Amino acid sequence: MEASKKEPLIITDKEQMRKWSRTMRSQGKSIGLVPTMGYLHQGHISLVNEALKLTNLTVVSIYVNPGQFAPSEDLSTYPSDFHGDISKLMSVPGGVDVVFHPHNLYDYENDTKRNKNDKGACKNLEGKGEVVSCLEESGMGHETWVRVEKLENGLCGKSRPVFFRGVATVVTKLFNIVEPDVAVFGKKDYQQWRIVQRMVRDLDFSIRIIGTEILRDNDGLAMSSRNVHLSAEERRKALSISRSLLGAKSSAENGHINCRELRDSVIQAVSEAGGRIDYAEIVDQESLQAVEEISSPVVFCIAAWFGKVRLIDNIEINL
Amino acid sequence: MEASKKEPLIITDKEQMRKWSRTMRSQGKSIGLVPTMGYLHQGHISLVNEALKLTNLTVVSIYVNPGQFAPSEDLSTYPSDFHGDISKLMSVPGGVDVVFHPHNLYDYENDTKRNKNDKGACKNLEGKGEVVSCLEESGMGHETWVRVEKLENGLCGKSRPVFFRGVATVVTKLFNIVEPDVAVFGKKDYQQWRIVQRMVRDLDFSIRIIGTEILRDNDGLAMSSRNVHLSAEERRKALSISRSLLGAKSSAENGHINCRELRDSVIQAVSEAGGRIDYAEIVDQESLQAVEEISSPVVFCIAAWFGKVRLIDNIEINL
C-alpha cells in the first residue's frame, strides 16, 4: 500500500498553534503531541504511530530547546534536517496534521528591555556554581522553571544539572501552547519520561503521558539523533552497551539479582570496549532510587561516552 | 436594589471542576478565576467584582495551600469561615458561579505508597538548610515546583523562602484545573502579582492576569485576612504603615526622590509605633529591583510585625 504523503500544516507561531488546537477541540477532536528536537529517526516515528493510534489529530513539535543544554554541551552541534524531517513524517501512513516548529519559544514580545540572541549565541560563560543553561546565557529574560525535585537528581541529572529543569519547563510550555490530550515520549529517555509523568500528576495537567519502547537498529544500538556523530569504529564499540544490558537482564532472570555484580559486569564490558562510563545504575522503575537486590521491577540505566558522543540506554527488568 | 443572592455551585473535586469549565467553554463562555485562601473580606470582593466585569462566569477558589507555608509559619492558625465566605459571595450583585473548595490539592490517588496527612499535620521539622514547606513535611509525595527565580528572591522572598515557590505552584495547579481565561490578583500582594504575571508569560499560559488596587479600611489599614489577629491597640499602631507610605509618596511627588531618606522616614515611623520591620524597600515596579533614586515608576513595599501578626503593604509611586 502506498503511504499517505499527507502534507502537515507547518505552524511556527504560538498563538496560531493554540488557535488551531482550540478550533479542533471545539469540533470534538482529540489531539496527540509528540515533542521532538528534530533530526527524526524510526524511534520518533514509532512515537508518532503511537499518537496516531490514540487520538484523532497528531502534532509533532520540532524544537531544539536551549533551556536544557548547559553552555558546555552540544547545542550548537545538535544535528538538524527540517526538510528531511518533514518528508519522513509525510511517509508515515496516516500522516501527521501539524508540525509545530517555533523559531524561539522564549521570545516574549513584551519584554523589550532585554537583548535577544539566537540559539547559536550560547557562550561558554558558566560559573559562580549556579545552574545555568544556554537560555540564561542568551539573556532572554526567561526566569520561570519547573523542577521535579527528587526525580531530577540522579542518573542523567548528576552530570547534566540543567537538563531536566529545561525539559520540564519546555514541556510545560508546549503543553500550554498545544493543549494536547495525549503526549508521547520514548522510554529511551527513561528518566525524562518518569519526570514528565510526575510533573503532569503534580501540576494537574489533564494530559495522558505515554511511554513507548526503545527502538534499536539491527545491530542493537538504541536509536538516537546523536548516533550520526559516531564513527563506524565508535559505533561498533558502542554495541557493548546494548549487549551487556541484555546480558544483565538475562542474568537477573536467571537468579543473579545482586545489583553490584550486575553493574560491575556491564561497566567492565563497556569500559573494555573503550567507553567512558558516566553512570550505570539499577533503579526502581518509579522512584528511580538505586536498589541493591532486584526484588521488584527495576530499570538498568546507563550513560557512556564513545569519543565525543554521550549515549544513553536502558533496559527494564521485571522481576 | 436587592443583591442577587445567587447560590454558587460548590465543587470540591478537581475532575468535576475541570469538567464544568470545559462544558462552559464549549458553550462559548469565558471564565474568570479569583484564587483565595478564604476568610473573605471586601478586598477579595473587589477581585470578584473585577472578574465579573471581564468574563461571563466567575470561579472563586478557596484553599489554604500548605505548599506556601513554612513549618514555622501560621498554617494552623490561618483563619477560616467557609459558611461566612459563601454568604459574602452570595451578597455580591451578579454573584459567583462556582466556589472551588478542594479538600487537598496534593492528594494523588494513584500514589498509594506514601503516608497521607491533613493540613493540621504540618510539624515543625524544618532543618538541613533546605527549603521545605508544610507540604513536604506532610509526606504527600508532591515534588514538582514552579519557581520564578529572580522575582522570588527579594522582599517577602527573603524571610519566606518557601512562599513564592508554593504560590507559583498552586496557581499553576489551579490554572490547569479551572482553565480560566482571566485570573484576578490583588496588588496588596504586589510581588505575588508580578510573579504570577511573569510565570504566565514564561510558561505560555493563555490566561490574562489582572491586578486590582489595594482596598483599605476607613482608617487606612490595608485589608487582610490576618488583620483579625490584631488587638485594637496593635491595629491602631499598625496604621503607621499606611500613613508613612502615603507620606513617602507625597514627599516623592514633591521632589524628594532619594530612596534612602524615604525609607528611613518610613522605618522610623513604623518602628516608633512599635512595629518590627521585616523589610522596607523602594523597587522598580516590574523587576522589583531596589532603586536609589526615583526616576521611573516604583513601588514602596513594606512588611512589618505588630505583635504576632506580619502585615504587608505597598504604594505605587509613578514618577
Side-chain angles (χ1 to χ4, degrees):
Chain A
M1 207 180 86
E2 180 80 349
S4 68
K5 296 293 180 192
K6 179 160 101 183
E7 197 159 338
L9 181 63
I10 295 171
I11 297 180
T12 58
D13 180 72
K14 289 178 191 180
E15 284 312 315
Q16 205 190 331
M17 183 68 246
R18 184 181 284 120
K19 201 172 160 193
W20 181 89
S21 285
R22 291 196 170 182
T23 304
M24 292 305 145
R25 175 166 284 163
S26 74
Q27 295 168 11
K29 301 274 174 53
S30 61
I31 298 166
L33 171 66
V34 180
T36 81
M37 300 211 298
Y39 210 73
L40 305 181
H41 50 65
Q42 278 303 312
H44 296 107
I45 303 304
S46 75
L47 309 184
V48 172
N49 283 324
E50 191 65 24
L52 283 167
K53 273 192 269 175
L54 297 169
T55 53
N56 302 126
L57 299 166
T58 300
V59 177
V60 173
S61 65
I62 297 183
Y63 181 61
V64 180
N65 170 37
Q68 72 196 56
F69 287 83
S72 58
E73 291 175 341
D74 59 347
L75 175 63
S76 60
T77 59
Y78 198 86
S80 76
D81 177 14
F82 187 68
H83 293 292
D85 291 344
I86 297 297
S87 63
K88 276 175 199 146
L89 292 172
M90 283 175 65
S91 301
V92 177
V96 310
D97 300 281
V98 170
V99 170
F100 179 48
H101 184 52
H103 175 62
N104 184 346
L105 274 182
Y106 305 91
D107 184 7
Y108 307 111
E109 283 164 41
N110 298 328
D111 192 42
T112 51
K113 291 180 186 171
R114 313 269 181 168
N115 294 321
K116 290 175 182 169
N117 295 313
D118 268 354
K119 159 191 164 178
C122 182
K123 298 174 222 100
N124 213 322
L125 299 170
E126 214 163 0
K128 290 186 284 179
E130 283 168 24
V131 173
V132 170
S133 76
C134 289
L135 185 59
E136 285 124 318
E137 299 278 322
S138 75
M140 302 296 301
H142 179 99
E143 59 167 306
T144 307
W145 297 96
V146 179
R147 304 194 70 149
V148 182
E149 293 192 352
K150 286 181 194 137
L151 289 178
E152 75 174 20
N153 286 329
L155 305 175
C156 287
K158 272 191 198 148
S159 54
R160 304 189 71 190
V162 309
F163 182 63
F164 291 115
R165 185 185 78 144
V167 166
T169 303
V170 81
V171 168
T172 295
K173 288 166 73 73
L174 289 169
F175 285 178
N176 283 340
I177 294 166
V178 179
E179 298 181 344
D181 302 282
V182 170
V184 186
F185 294 81
K187 283 159 90 170
K188 161 127 180 313
D189 299 295
Y190 201 91
Q191 189 177 11
Q192 168 179 284
W193 169 56
R194 288 302 194 192
I195 281 175
V196 171
Q197 275 188 324
R198 178 56 49 100
M199 176 187 93
V200 161
R201 186 201 75 166
D202 285 358
L203 298 184
D204 291 303
F205 280 101
S206 176
I207 300 171
R208 192 174 148 207
I209 303 300
I210 306 293
T212 63
E213 300 306 321
I214 297 175
L215 243 71
R216 299 181 181 281
D217 281 321
N218 288 335
D219 56 12
L221 189 69
M223 290 188 187
S224 163
S225 303
R226 288 187 173 97
N227 290 352
V228 70
H229 293 313
L230 291 170
S231 69
E233 172 75 3
E234 284 164 351
R235 187 188 167 99
R236 198 185 50 73
K237 291 175 172 175
L239 299 181
S240 58
I241 296 177
S242 53
R243 232 177 352 232
S244 61
L245 283 182
L246 265 176
K249 180 184 168 116
S250 165
S251 293
E253 287 169 347
N254 288 318
H256 297 96
I257 58 169
N258 181 299
C259 291
R260 206 234 275 250
E261 289 169 22
L262 292 168
R263 290 176 59 221
D264 282 350
S265 73
V266 166
I267 289 170
Q268 191 183 343
V270 173
S271 302
E272 280 176 2
R276 186 160 55 85
I277 300 281
D278 179 355
Y279 64 79
E281 303 251 23
I282 299 171
V283 298
D284 179 85
Q285 285 182 12
E286 289 221 3
S287 71
L288 306 186
Q289 293 293 307
V291 298
E292 292 185 9
E293 278 201 345
I294 304 177
S295 59
S296 57
V298 295
V299 55
F300 195 147
C301 296
I302 182 168
W305 292 85
F306 282 85
K308 290 183 175 169
V309 188
R310 183 174 174 278
L311 299 174
I312 62 173
D313 200 346
N314 69 76
I315 198 160
E316 287 180 325
I317 304 173
N318 293 305
L319 292 195
Chain B
M1 206 180 87
E2 180 80 351
S4 68
K5 298 291 181 194
K6 179 160 102 183
E7 197 158 339
L9 181 63
I10 296 171
I11 297 180
T12 58
D13 180 72
K14 290 177 192 182
E15 283 312 314
Q16 205 190 332
M17 182 68 246
R18 183 181 283 120
K19 199 172 162 194
W20 180 90
S21 285
R22 291 196 170 183
T23 304
M24 293 304 147
R25 173 164 285 162
S26 74
Q27 294 168 11
K29 301 275 175 50
S30 62
I31 297 167
L33 170 66
V34 180
T36 83
M37 299 210 299
Y39 210 73
L40 304 181
H41 51 65
Q42 278 303 312
H44 296 107
I45 302 303
S46 75
L47 307 186
V48 172
N49 283 323
E50 191 65 24
L52 284 167
K53 273 192 268 175
L54 296 170
T55 52
N56 302 125
L57 299 166
T58 301
V59 176
V60 174
S61 66
I62 297 183
Y63 180 62
V64 180
N65 170 36
Q68 71 196 59
F69 288 83
S72 57
E73 292 175 341
D74 59 347
L75 175 64
S76 60
T77 60
Y78 198 86
S80 77
D81 176 15
F82 187 69
H83 294 293
D85 290 344
I86 297 297
S87 63
K88 276 175 198 145
L89 291 172
M90 282 175 65
S91 301
V92 177
V96 310
D97 299 280
V98 169
V99 170
F100 178 49
H101 184 54
H103 175 62
N104 184 345
L105 274 183
Y106 305 90
D107 184 7
Y108 307 111
E109 284 164 41
N110 298 329
D111 193 41
T112 49
K113 290 180 186 168
R114 313 269 179 168
N115 294 322
K116 288 175 187 174
N117 294 313
D118 268 357
K119 158 190 163 178
C122 182
K123 296 173 226 102
N124 212 322
L125 299 171
E126 214 163 1
K128 291 186 281 176
E130 281 169 26
V131 173
V132 170
S133 76
C134 289
L135 184 60
E136 284 124 319
E137 299 280 322
S138 75
M140 301 296 300
H142 179 99
E143 58 166 308
T144 308
W145 298 95
V146 180
R147 305 195 70 150
V148 182
E149 294 193 352
K150 287 181 193 139
L151 289 178
E152 75 173 20
N153 285 329
L155 304 175
C156 287
K158 272 189 196 148
S159 55
R160 305 189 70 188
V162 307
F163 182 63
F164 291 115
R165 184 185 78 144
V167 167
T169 303
V170 81
V171 168
T172 295
K173 288 166 72 74
L174 288 169
F175 285 177
N176 282 342
I177 295 165
V178 178
E179 299 182 343
D181 301 283
V182 170
V184 186
F185 293 81
K187 282 158 91 168
K188 161 128 181 314
D189 299 295
Y190 201 93
Q191 189 177 11
Q192 170 178 281
W193 170 54
R194 288 301 193 191
I195 281 173
V196 171
Q197 276 188 323
R198 179 56 50 101
M199 176 187 93
V200 162
R201 185 199 75 166
D202 285 357
L203 298 184
D204 291 303
F205 280 102
S206 176
I207 299 172
R208 193 175 148 206
I209 302 301
I210 305 292
T212 63
E213 301 306 322
I214 296 175
L215 245 69
R216 298 180 182 283
D217 282 321
N218 289 334
D219 58 10
L221 189 70
M223 290 187 186
S224 163
S225 303
R226 289 187 172 97
N227 291 351
V228 70
H229 292 313
L230 291 169
S231 69
E233 173 73 1
E234 285 163 350
R235 186 188 168 98
R236 199 184 51 72
K237 291 176 171 175
L239 299 180
S240 59
I241 296 177
S242 52
R243 234 178 349 235
S244 62
L245 282 183
L246 265 176
K249 179 184 170 117
S250 166
S251 294
E253 287 169 348
N254 288 318
H256 298 97
I257 57 168
N258 181 297
C259 292
R260 207 234 274 251
E261 288 169 26
L262 293 168
R263 290 176 58 221
D264 282 350
S265 73
V266 165
I267 290 170
Q268 192 182 340
V270 173
S271 302
E272 279 176 2
R276 184 160 58 82
I277 301 280
D278 179 354
Y279 64 80
E281 303 250 23
I282 300 172
V283 298
D284 178 83
Q285 285 183 14
E286 289 221 3
S287 71
L288 305 186
Q289 292 294 306
V291 298
E292 292 186 8
E293 279 199 345
I294 304 178
S295 58
S296 57
V298 296
V299 56
F300 195 148
C301 294
I302 182 167
W305 292 85
F306 283 84
K308 289 185 176 167
V309 188
R310 183 174 175 278
L311 299 173
I312 61 171
D313 201 346
N314 69 76
I315 199 161
E316 287 180 325
I317 304 174
N318 293 306
L319 293 194

